[in-house]
Amino acid sequence: MDFQPMKYIWEPAVNGNGYTLLLLHGTGGDESDLLPIGARLGAGFNILSIRGNVSEHGMPRFFRRLSMGIFDEKDVHFRTHEMVHFLQELSLGLGFDPAKMIAVGYSNGANIAGATLMLYPELLAGAILFRPMQPLYGLETAFETEKAQPVLMSSGKEDSTVDPAATEGYATLLEANGFKVSAMQVEAGHNLSQQDITLAGKWLKDSF
């Protein structure tokens, strides 16, 4: 496959616990977008923030979509494989443990993280999914993990972009395949709020 490298920012922890927060931006963001949030989630983590390789009208994304809320699932597959290949190669050069990555994704970034959970269910140590949508369908019995990795899903009560019922079904699907899912709703729309960061920081401390 013709995989391309990805732009990234790497901030190793001085005295860390070996875990790496993998920051995955939303549509129109870049590798610097979630750095302030990563810093506020907790101390002692390596920070690895990457930029999606797809451009939609000049806005970076991790995979193509056909229309609002409708994903190009063929591209989701390709871009997920591309990202995982890049991360595994990068771990050799930077010296972090790829088995101790915790994805922190917002919107489109949450969706590429979710695709990673589905296509590589044993890879990530856990995931924080802010405003997620189910990225792939037809894989309901094709992925499973025995590691019971913790996954936090954070939805906005006033989010007009994401259907709450679909999010609930997505959480149920991940649980059925072995993930330990915690779902929360915050008083917000699609944008991130302080409540998201506070609750995610507590969850991260409790889980790792």
Side-chain angles (χ1 to χ4, degrees), residues 136-157:
L136 294 167
Y137 287 84
L139 296 176
E140 281 73 7
T141 59
F143 71 99
E144 190 173 358
T145 178
E146 296 182 354
K147 294 183 177 180
Q149 300 101 310
V151 175
L152 176 66
M153 302 176 74
S154 181
S155 303
K157 291 182 180 179

PDB file of all heavy atoms in Angstrom, residues 136-157:
ATOM      1  N   LEU A 136     -17.345   2.751  11.188  1.00  0.00           N
ATOM      2  CA  LEU A 136     -17.452   1.623  10.268  1.00  0.00           C
ATOM      3  C   LEU A 136     -18.656   0.764  10.635  1.00  0.00           C
ATOM      4  O   LEU A 136     -18.983   0.614  11.817  1.00  0.00           O
ATOM      5  CB  LEU A 136     -16.183   0.755  10.318  1.00  0.00           C
ATOM      6  CG  LEU A 136     -14.882   1.402   9.811  1.00  0.00           C
ATOM      7  CD1 LEU A 136     -13.686   0.550  10.220  1.00  0.00           C
ATOM      8  CD2 LEU A 136     -14.937   1.586   8.298  1.00  0.00           C
ATOM      9  N   TYR A 137     -19.279   0.188   9.618  1.00  0.00           N
ATOM     10  CA  TYR A 137     -20.419  -0.706   9.826  1.00  0.00           C
ATOM     11  C   TYR A 137     -20.129  -2.055   9.172  1.00  0.00           C
ATOM     12  O   TYR A 137     -19.247  -2.176   8.323  1.00  0.00           O
ATOM     13  CB  TYR A 137     -21.697  -0.084   9.272  1.00  0.00           C
ATOM     14  CG  TYR A 137     -22.192   1.065  10.129  1.00  0.00           C
ATOM     15  CD1 TYR A 137     -21.685   2.350   9.964  1.00  0.00           C
ATOM     16  CD2 TYR A 137     -23.134   0.856  11.127  1.00  0.00           C
ATOM     17  CE1 TYR A 137     -22.112   3.400  10.775  1.00  0.00           C
ATOM     18  CE2 TYR A 137     -23.573   1.891  11.942  1.00  0.00           C
ATOM     19  CZ  TYR A 137     -23.058   3.161  11.755  1.00  0.00           C
ATOM     20  OH  TYR A 137     -23.479   4.191  12.558  1.00  0.00           O
ATOM     21  N   GLY A 138     -20.853  -3.076   9.594  1.00  0.00           N
ATOM     22  CA  GLY A 138     -20.647  -4.407   9.035  1.00  0.00           C
ATOM     23  C   GLY A 138     -19.532  -5.191   9.706  1.00  0.00           C
ATOM     24  O   GLY A 138     -19.193  -6.287   9.262  1.00  0.00           O
ATOM     25  N   LEU A 139     -18.949  -4.628  10.781  1.00  0.00           N
ATOM     26  CA  LEU A 139     -17.869  -5.321  11.486  1.00  0.00           C
ATOM     27  C   LEU A 139     -18.320  -5.808  12.860  1.00  0.00           C
ATOM     28  O   LEU A 139     -17.496  -6.096  13.722  1.00  0.00           O
ATOM     29  CB  LEU A 139     -16.674  -4.372  11.679  1.00  0.00           C
ATOM     30  CG  LEU A 139     -15.974  -3.867  10.426  1.00  0.00           C
ATOM     31  CD1 LEU A 139     -14.883  -2.880  10.810  1.00  0.00           C
ATOM     32  CD2 LEU A 139     -15.374  -5.013   9.633  1.00  0.00           C
ATOM     33  N   GLU A 140     -19.612  -5.915  13.055  1.00  0.00           N
ATOM     34  CA  GLU A 140     -20.152  -6.153  14.390  1.00  0.00           C
ATOM     35  C   GLU A 140     -19.579  -7.399  15.064  1.00  0.00           C
ATOM     36  O   GLU A 140     -19.460  -7.458  16.283  1.00  0.00           O
ATOM     37  CB  GLU A 140     -21.676  -6.244  14.337  1.00  0.00           C
ATOM     38  CG  GLU A 140     -22.381  -4.889  14.249  1.00  0.00           C
ATOM     39  CD  GLU A 140     -22.254  -4.196  12.895  1.00  0.00           C
ATOM     40  OE1 GLU A 140     -21.720  -4.823  11.959  1.00  0.00           O
ATOM     41  OE2 GLU A 140     -22.693  -3.047  12.773  1.00  0.00           O
ATOM     42  N   THR A 141     -19.212  -8.409  14.274  1.00  0.00           N
ATOM     43  CA  THR A 141     -18.654  -9.631  14.868  1.00  0.00           C
ATOM     44  C   THR A 141     -17.217  -9.868  14.418  1.00  0.00           C
ATOM     45  O   THR A 141     -16.667 -10.937  14.624  1.00  0.00           O
ATOM     46  CB  THR A 141     -19.508 -10.858  14.480  1.00  0.00           C
ATOM     47  OG1 THR A 141     -19.540 -10.970  13.037  1.00  0.00           O
ATOM     48  CG2 THR A 141     -20.920 -10.726  14.996  1.00  0.00           C
ATOM     49  N   ALA A 142     -16.609  -8.870  13.812  1.00  0.00           N
ATOM     50  CA  ALA A 142     -15.283  -9.059  13.217  1.00  0.00           C
ATOM     51  C   ALA A 142     -14.156  -8.524  14.084  1.00  0.00           C
ATOM     52  O   ALA A 142     -13.004  -8.674  13.741  1.00  0.00           O
ATOM     53  CB  ALA A 142     -15.228  -8.394  11.830  1.00  0.00           C
ATOM     54  N   PHE A 143     -14.461  -7.875  15.195  1.00  0.00           N
ATOM     55  CA  PHE A 143     -13.388  -7.361  16.052  1.00  0.00           C
ATOM     56  C   PHE A 143     -13.718  -7.690  17.504  1.00  0.00           C
ATOM     57  O   PHE A 143     -14.870  -7.702  17.914  1.00  0.00           O
ATOM     58  CB  PHE A 143     -13.201  -5.854  15.868  1.00  0.00           C
ATOM     59  CG  PHE A 143     -14.306  -4.994  16.426  1.00  0.00           C
ATOM     60  CD1 PHE A 143     -14.178  -4.385  17.673  1.00  0.00           C
ATOM     61  CD2 PHE A 143     -15.475  -4.780  15.708  1.00  0.00           C
ATOM     62  CE1 PHE A 143     -15.188  -3.590  18.193  1.00  0.00           C
ATOM     63  CE2 PHE A 143     -16.490  -3.973  16.218  1.00  0.00           C
ATOM     64  CZ  PHE A 143     -16.345  -3.386  17.470  1.00  0.00           C
ATOM     65  N   GLU A 144     -12.677  -7.978  18.242  1.00  0.00           N
ATOM     66  CA  GLU A 144     -12.875  -8.340  19.647  1.00  0.00           C
ATOM     67  C   GLU A 144     -11.548  -8.198  20.373  1.00  0.00           C
ATOM     68  O   GLU A 144     -10.483  -8.447  19.814  1.00  0.00           O
ATOM     69  CB  GLU A 144     -13.375  -9.786  19.761  1.00  0.00           C
ATOM     70  CG  GLU A 144     -13.821 -10.160  21.166  1.00  0.00           C
ATOM     71  CD  GLU A 144     -14.471 -11.538  21.208  1.00  0.00           C
ATOM     72  OE1 GLU A 144     -14.596 -12.174  20.145  1.00  0.00           O
ATOM     73  OE2 GLU A 144     -14.843 -11.963  22.313  1.00  0.00           O
ATOM     74  N   THR A 145     -11.601  -7.754  21.617  1.00  0.00           N
ATOM     75  CA  THR A 145     -10.408  -7.664  22.442  1.00  0.00           C
ATOM     76  C   THR A 145     -10.617  -8.423  23.736  1.00  0.00           C
ATOM     77  O   THR A 145     -11.732  -8.476  24.265  1.00  0.00           O
ATOM     78  CB  THR A 145     -10.043  -6.200  22.760  1.00  0.00           C
ATOM     79  OG1 THR A 145      -8.884  -6.184  23.604  1.00  0.00           O
ATOM     80  CG2 THR A 145     -11.177  -5.483  23.474  1.00  0.00           C
ATOM     81  N   GLU A 146      -9.548  -9.029  24.218  1.00  0.00           N
ATOM     82  CA  GLU A 146      -9.585  -9.710  25.514  1.00  0.00           C
ATOM     83  C   GLU A 146      -8.923  -8.855  26.593  1.00  0.00           C
ATOM     84  O   GLU A 146      -8.829  -9.280  27.742  1.00  0.00           O
ATOM     85  CB  GLU A 146      -8.893 -11.074  25.399  1.00  0.00           C
ATOM     86  CG  GLU A 146      -9.591 -12.041  24.449  1.00  0.00           C
ATOM     87  CD  GLU A 146      -8.909 -13.397  24.382  1.00  0.00           C
ATOM     88  OE1 GLU A 146      -7.834 -13.543  24.998  1.00  0.00           O
ATOM     89  OE2 GLU A 146      -9.453 -14.294  23.716  1.00  0.00           O
ATOM     90  N   LYS A 147      -8.462  -7.672  26.223  1.00  0.00           N
ATOM     91  CA  LYS A 147      -7.740  -6.815  27.169  1.00  0.00           C
ATOM     92  C   LYS A 147      -8.664  -5.924  27.997  1.00  0.00           C
ATOM     93  O   LYS A 147      -8.220  -5.323  28.970  1.00  0.00           O
ATOM     94  CB  LYS A 147      -6.739  -5.940  26.408  1.00  0.00           C
ATOM     95  CG  LYS A 147      -5.610  -6.715  25.739  1.00  0.00           C
ATOM     96  CD  LYS A 147      -4.634  -5.753  25.071  1.00  0.00           C
ATOM     97  CE  LYS A 147      -3.461  -6.483  24.448  1.00  0.00           C
ATOM     98  NZ  LYS A 147      -2.507  -5.534  23.803  1.00  0.00           N
ATOM     99  N   ALA A 148      -9.922  -5.812  27.585  1.00  0.00           N
ATOM    100  CA  ALA A 148     -10.904  -4.966  28.292  1.00  0.00           C
ATOM    101  C   ALA A 148     -10.384  -3.536  28.481  1.00  0.00           C
ATOM    102  O   ALA A 148     -10.469  -2.959  29.555  1.00  0.00           O
ATOM    103  CB  ALA A 148     -11.278  -5.578  29.638  1.00  0.00           C
ATOM    104  N   GLN A 149      -9.844  -2.969  27.394  1.00  0.00           N
ATOM    105  CA  GLN A 149      -9.308  -1.608  27.486  1.00  0.00           C
ATOM    106  C   GLN A 149     -10.418  -0.609  27.805  1.00  0.00           C
ATOM    107  O   GLN A 149     -11.534  -0.714  27.290  1.00  0.00           O
ATOM    108  CB  GLN A 149      -8.643  -1.187  26.175  1.00  0.00           C
ATOM    109  CG  GLN A 149      -7.494  -2.056  25.734  1.00  0.00           C
ATOM    110  CD  GLN A 149      -7.916  -3.013  24.649  1.00  0.00           C
ATOM    111  OE1 GLN A 149      -8.935  -3.709  24.780  1.00  0.00           O
ATOM    112  NE2 GLN A 149      -7.169  -3.058  23.569  1.00  0.00           N
ATOM    113  N   PRO A 150     -10.110   0.377  28.657  1.00  0.00           N
ATOM    114  CA  PRO A 150     -11.103   1.393  28.982  1.00  0.00           C
ATOM    115  C   PRO A 150     -11.291   2.398  27.841  1.00  0.00           C
ATOM    116  O   PRO A 150     -10.318   2.828  27.211  1.00  0.00           O
ATOM    117  CB  PRO A 150     -10.518   2.069  30.227  1.00  0.00           C
ATOM    118  CG  PRO A 150      -9.049   1.870  30.106  1.00  0.00           C
ATOM    119  CD  PRO A 150      -8.861   0.555  29.413  1.00  0.00           C
ATOM    120  N   VAL A 151     -12.527   2.749  27.574  1.00  0.00           N
ATOM    121  CA  VAL A 151     -12.861   3.734  26.542  1.00  0.00           C
ATOM    122  C   VAL A 151     -13.862   4.725  27.139  1.00  0.00           C
ATOM    123  O   VAL A 151     -14.886   4.320  27.692  1.00  0.00           O
ATOM    124  CB  VAL A 151     -13.472   3.062  25.293  1.00  0.00           C
ATOM    125  CG1 VAL A 151     -13.926   4.116  24.280  1.00  0.00           C
ATOM    126  CG2 VAL A 151     -12.477   2.100  24.654  1.00  0.00           C
ATOM    127  N   LEU A 152     -13.545   6.003  27.037  1.00  0.00           N
ATOM    128  CA  LEU A 152     -14.455   7.053  27.479  1.00  0.00           C
ATOM    129  C   LEU A 152     -15.085   7.710  26.261  1.00  0.00           C
ATOM    130  O   LEU A 152     -14.378   8.152  25.351  1.00  0.00           O
ATOM    131  CB  LEU A 152     -13.706   8.113  28.298  1.00  0.00           C
ATOM    132  CG  LEU A 152     -14.543   9.321  28.735  1.00  0.00           C
ATOM    133  CD1 LEU A 152     -15.627   8.911  29.720  1.00  0.00           C
ATOM    134  CD2 LEU A 152     -13.650  10.399  29.342  1.00  0.00           C
ATOM    135  N   MET A 153     -16.416   7.766  26.233  1.00  0.00           N
ATOM    136  CA  MET A 153     -17.137   8.444  25.166  1.00  0.00           C
ATOM    137  C   MET A 153     -17.846   9.655  25.760  1.00  0.00           C
ATOM    138  O   MET A 153     -18.626   9.518  26.709  1.00  0.00           O
ATOM    139  CB  MET A 153     -18.142   7.494  24.505  1.00  0.00           C
ATOM    140  CG  MET A 153     -17.513   6.253  23.938  1.00  0.00           C
ATOM    141  SD  MET A 153     -18.708   5.065  23.245  1.00  0.00           S
ATOM    142  CE  MET A 153     -19.147   5.895  21.727  1.00  0.00           C
ATOM    143  N   SER A 154     -17.550  10.836  25.219  1.00  0.00           N
ATOM    144  CA  SER A 154     -18.112  12.077  25.748  1.00  0.00           C
ATOM    145  C   SER A 154     -18.980  12.741  24.692  1.00  0.00           C
ATOM    146  O   SER A 154     -18.492  13.122  23.624  1.00  0.00           O
ATOM    147  CB  SER A 154     -16.984  13.021  26.183  1.00  0.00           C
ATOM    148  OG  SER A 154     -17.516  14.210  26.704  1.00  0.00           O
ATOM    149  N   SER A 155     -20.264  12.885  25.003  1.00  0.00           N
ATOM    150  CA  SER A 155     -21.226  13.463  24.059  1.00  0.00           C
ATOM    151  C   SER A 155     -21.777  14.776  24.596  1.00  0.00           C
ATOM    152  O   SER A 155     -21.901  14.964  25.805  1.00  0.00           O
ATOM    153  CB  SER A 155     -22.382  12.489  23.831  1.00  0.00           C
ATOM    154  OG  SER A 155     -21.918  11.237  23.375  1.00  0.00           O
ATOM    155  N   GLY A 156     -22.118  15.686  23.690  1.00  0.00           N
ATOM    156  CA  GLY A 156     -22.749  16.944  24.075  1.00  0.00           C
ATOM    157  C   GLY A 156     -24.261  16.830  24.008  1.00  0.00           C
ATOM    158  O   GLY A 156     -24.806  16.368  22.996  1.00  0.00           O
ATOM    159  N   LYS A 157     -24.940  17.243  25.063  1.00  0.00           N
ATOM    160  CA  LYS A 157     -26.398  17.126  25.099  1.00  0.00           C
ATOM    161  C   LYS A 157     -27.069  17.956  24.009  1.00  0.00           C
ATOM    162  O   LYS A 157     -28.164  17.626  23.554  1.00  0.00           O
ATOM    163  CB  LYS A 157     -26.922  17.541  26.474  1.00  0.00           C
ATOM    164  CG  LYS A 157     -26.558  16.588  27.596  1.00  0.00           C
ATOM    165  CD  LYS A 157     -27.142  17.043  28.927  1.00  0.00           C
ATOM    166  CE  LYS A 157     -26.781  16.086  30.059  1.00  0.00           C
ATOM    167  NZ  LYS A 157     -27.326  16.541  31.358  1.00  0.00           N
TER     168      LYS A 157
END
